Amino acid sequence: MELNAYIDHTLLKATATEKEIMTLCNEAITYNFKTVCVNSCFVPIAKQALKETPVKICTVVGFPLGASSTEAKIFEAKKAINDGASEIDMVINIGYLKSRNYVAVLKDINDVKIAIGKIPLKVIIEISELSKNEIVKACEICVDARADFVKTSTGFSKSGATLTAVKIMKKTLKGKAKIKASGGIRDQETAYKYIDAGVDRIGTSSGVDMMNGSLSQAG
């Protein structure tokens, strides 16, 4: 599979403008990225920009802290889907996980998944805040909650994806959920290392640079 098919072309910074979102969408069309990943307020703009193209729209829920109520996450997810989102990336309740309140973590994810039905749900576990054992536990809970993907990071914490964490995730998930790596993946060489490690999707704001690197090396 070509690199572009792995990329969620991402712009989630608080200062993102409507013009920048339009540019993001046009780049996604040019390079045929899998999705654009934007904050939910920009989903309608992305829907208009991407109509009649194969590029899908991903948005974030409970972002970036994961500490909003389950009811708020459900409302945000359903509103985004009604506006045109086709994938949801929600942040796990890290505080519940750290408290070992695993039932609450499971319920949070499961309730969102039930609410959005067949729409793919990616659960962001924020690996930079977790120990190895907590990464394993988070992945186990995501499987039990029937999440479609487990995602490494928001990109807004201390650090992003690591190959070590991805290997732990892959071993724990055992193919029962896919893996999205996000945060700090900025060049083609790094992207392919993550793909080789078993990730199914890459969240990055550097997709264009990756593809241009691919073209120049191919030539």
Side-chain angles (χ1 to χ4, degrees):
M1 186 180 288
E2 296 297 324
L3 179 59
N4 61 307
Y6 285 85
I7 293 176
D8 286 351
H9 194 36
T10 303
L11 180 56
L12 295 170
K13 65 182 182 180
T15 56
T17 64
E18 294 179 358
K19 183 178 179 180
E20 288 174 324
I21 296 298
M22 289 298 296
T23 298
L24 185 86
C25 291
N26 289 332
E27 290 170 346
I29 294 168
T30 299
Y31 293 96
N32 196 25
F33 291 136
K34 186 71 174 181
T35 77
V36 295
C37 186
V38 298
N39 284 303
S40 59
C41 67
F42 290 124
V43 169
I45 294 174
K47 180 182 180 181
Q48 180 66 23
L50 296 170
K51 66 181 180 180
E52 300 179 4
T53 79
V55 180
K56 297 182 179 180
I57 301 167
C58 172
T59 195
V60 289
V61 166
F63 192 86
L65 301 178
S68 51
S69 69
T70 302
E71 291 78 10
K73 290 178 180 178
I74 290 171
F75 180 88
E76 189 176 9
K78 292 174 76 171
K79 176 66 165 60
I81 292 165
N82 288 336
D83 286 344
S86 45
E87 298 185 0
I88 299 294
D89 287 17
M90 73 165 276
V91 186
I92 199 170
N93 192 308
I94 303 166
Y96 283 165
L97 186 72
K98 289 283 187 181
S99 301
R100 299 188 180 182
N101 189 348
Y102 303 136
V103 172
V105 177
L106 175 65
K107 187 177 186 302
D108 187 48
I109 301 168
N110 189 59
D111 285 0
V112 173
K113 180 57 185 172
I114 290 171
I116 67 174
K118 294 182 180 180
I119 298 292
L121 177 65
K122 309 190 200 89
V123 179
I124 308 170
I125 63 174
E126 201 69 283
I127 59 168
S128 65
E129 301 294 337
L130 306 180
S131 67
K132 177 182 177 180
N133 288 341
E134 287 170 336
I135 292 171
V136 170
K137 189 63 182 178
C139 287
E140 291 173 346
I141 292 171
C142 287
V143 169
D144 288 343
R146 300 180 181 177
D148 300 280
F149 285 77
V150 182
K151 179 178 172 181
T152 60
S153 325
T154 62
F156 284 74
S157 190
K158 292 178 288 190
S159 61
T162 68
L163 287 167
T164 298
V166 165
K167 290 172 184 176
I168 294 168
M169 292 164 68
K170 185 173 178 61
K171 183 177 180 181
T172 306
L173 294 170
K174 300 176 182 177
K176 295 176 182 176
K178 296 178 181 180
I179 299 171
K180 177 176 174 179
S182 184
I185 304 172
R186 299 188 179 95
D187 60 76
Q188 183 185 138
E189 182 181 359
T190 304
Y192 277 120
K193 286 180 180 179
Y194 278 95
I195 292 169
D196 289 343
V199 307
D200 304 277
R201 200 76 65 82
I202 293 171
T204 181
S205 59
S206 303
V208 172
D209 290 339
M210 288 181 189
M211 297 309 297
N212 286 337
S214 175
L215 291 169
S216 64
Q217 290 181 20

